Amino acid sequence: MPVDPYILLLLGTVGFAALLPARGAAADVASGASTAAIAFLFFLYGARLSTREALDGLKHWRLHVTVLACTFLIFPLLGLAARGLVPVLLTHPLYQGLLFLTLVPSTVQSSIAFTSIARGNVPAAICAGSFSSLVGIVVTPLLAAALLGSSGGGFSADSLVEIVVQLLVPFVAGQLLRRWIGGFVTRHKKVLGLVDRGSILLVVYTAFSEGMVQGIWHQVSAVRLGGLLIVEAVLLAVMLVLTWYGSKALRFNREDRIAIQFAGSKKSLASGLPMASVLFGAHASLAVLPLMLFHQMQLMVCAVIAKRRARDPLEASREPVDERAPAAAS
């Protein structure tokens, strides 16, 4: 169960922000750069999403509705249920971060990778992750407004406008320009991937610098972090079980169940971090801490599950395959 190297970079960035937080004019520069990085990040997301693949994916609508229900309905309900753990296991700020975790979209890359390893429906995983990211740009801030409100630490109705300007507008611009820049984005996928990750590191540094300046890290102790890890482990286990056996009850075949399990049980660090920065401001560091921990946990656990699924006997492949599933994507 390897540790994601990117998580180590994120933790290193947190440590750097703790030792040398941006203050004064440097904080203003970092904040401006972070805002620009977030906009560019979502512009790239829009440029990468293939409209054709998205339309083809609509043919398998039952699977995508199931994944969206897991991501934006069941997850938030479990997050709300965790309110009873305050203050026994969680502090209120950590609970707010946990609840925010349950509101963000699903992952794309890791869902595809694990679905492929487990011999599942990869095209469905591609479309499910893409749909979740797209829907999350609108649904996540609306859910945050409804469930977190002003208690989210600086969150207000104005944040919805910021989400539209910083996230949705660049995403739509990327989609509109995809016809002309889509080939360039595809050819330079690896380089732009580094830009993606660098942008997120900048967002993390800015958020945790603000948290250090505000002194909010005094609210967290090792015991509370241990309690958070326990709660997240239970949350992940519940979602893995629900997505696997729930999709079986809905009569999906083995390949589709694998795609649903990996796309429906995960949360996107890449989408969640920028959104938290916009929604929570100086309190974003505590808001994203549960998401960062959950991200590493889901990678470790799903890597083990994917390898075990790959060793499953091929009997399940004789199950009827849904002809509405999209053809393999390039």
Side-chain angles (χ1 to χ4, degrees):
M1 296 189 296
V3 175
D4 182 6
Y6 191 54
I7 286 291
L8 298 180
L9 283 175
L10 288 170
L11 294 177
T13 302
V14 171
F16 183 69
L19 294 175
L20 294 172
R23 300 175 184 272
D28 294 335
V29 172
S31 178
S34 177
T35 299
I38 290 171
F40 184 62
L41 193 64
F42 278 80
F43 174 80
L44 289 179
Y45 289 165
R48 286 171 181 157
L49 179 61
S50 169
T51 305
R52 180 183 61 80
E53 289 180 358
L55 292 176
D56 287 344
L58 290 176
K59 299 174 183 177
H60 207 15
W61 63 270
R62 285 183 64 246
L63 184 147
H64 302 310
V65 169
T66 301
V67 172
L68 291 175
C70 291
T71 304
F72 297 114
L73 179 61
I74 298 177
F75 251 118
L77 289 175
L78 292 174
L80 290 173
R83 179 66 179 84
L85 301 176
V86 180
V88 179
L89 284 178
L90 302 173
T91 62
H92 187 69
L94 286 179
Y95 167 71
Q96 294 290 329
L98 178 70
L99 182 56
F100 173 73
L101 175 161
T102 65
L103 308 181
V104 303
S106 177
T107 60
V108 181
Q109 289 89 347
S110 59
S111 295
I112 296 169
F114 290 138
T115 300
S116 177
I117 292 171
R119 298 181 287 115
N121 189 338
V122 175
I126 294 173
C127 293
S130 299
F131 287 150
S132 181
S133 296
L134 178 58
V135 171
I137 294 176
V138 177
V139 172
T140 296
L142 292 177
L143 287 174
L147 302 182
L148 292 171
S150 60
S151 64
F155 179 80
S156 67
D158 293 338
S159 299
L160 296 177
V161 177
E162 291 186 57
I163 284 288
V164 171
V165 173
Q166 292 189 41
L167 307 186
L168 187 57
V169 170
F171 182 90
V172 172
Q175 271 284 285
L176 293 176
L177 293 176
R178 176 178 167 78
R179 177 181 177 183
W180 295 278
I181 66 174
F184 176 85
V185 170
T186 301
R187 289 192 303 271
H188 298 83
K189 188 175 183 180
K190 291 184 179 180
V191 175
L192 293 176
L194 295 177
V195 174
D196 278 3
R197 296 195 163 201
S199 299
I200 292 173
L201 291 176
L202 178 58
V203 172
V204 170
Y205 174 73
T206 303
F208 279 83
S209 289
E210 293 180 2
M212 287 299 298
V213 173
Q214 295 289 331
I216 62 176
W217 278 101
H218 296 297
Q219 305 174 30
V220 183
S221 66
V223 173
R224 293 300 188 183
L225 285 178
L228 175 63
L229 286 172
I230 292 173
V231 174
E232 290 193 335
V234 173
L235 176 64
L236 178 59
V238 169
M239 287 306 302
L240 287 170
V241 170
L242 283 177
T243 51
W244 183 248
Y245 291 102
S247 59
K248 181 178 181 180
L250 292 173
R251 302 182 67 81
F252 284 100
N253 61 36
R254 176 188 177 278
E255 290 77 12
D256 288 349
R257 290 173 64 196
I258 289 173
I260 290 171
Q261 183 175 53
F262 289 127
S265 64
K266 299 234 263 318
K267 291 295 181 176
S268 172
L269 188 68
S271 296
L273 284 175
M275 288 183 182
S277 178
V278 174
L279 293 172
F280 293 92
H283 295 260
S285 55
L286 280 182
V288 301
L289 179 62
L291 180 58
M292 290 173 61
L293 295 176
F294 189 82
H295 176 79
Q296 177 57 40
M297 187 181 297
Q298 71 186 10
L299 290 181
M300 295 171 66
V301 174
C302 289
V304 173
I305 293 175
K307 291 177 181 178
R308 291 187 176 182
R309 292 268 182 264
R311 296 195 296 267
D312 285 347
L314 292 178
E315 296 177 358
S317 64
R318 294 199 294 265
E319 297 175 9
V321 177
D322 193 331
E323 296 179 355
R324 292 170 296 181
S330 56

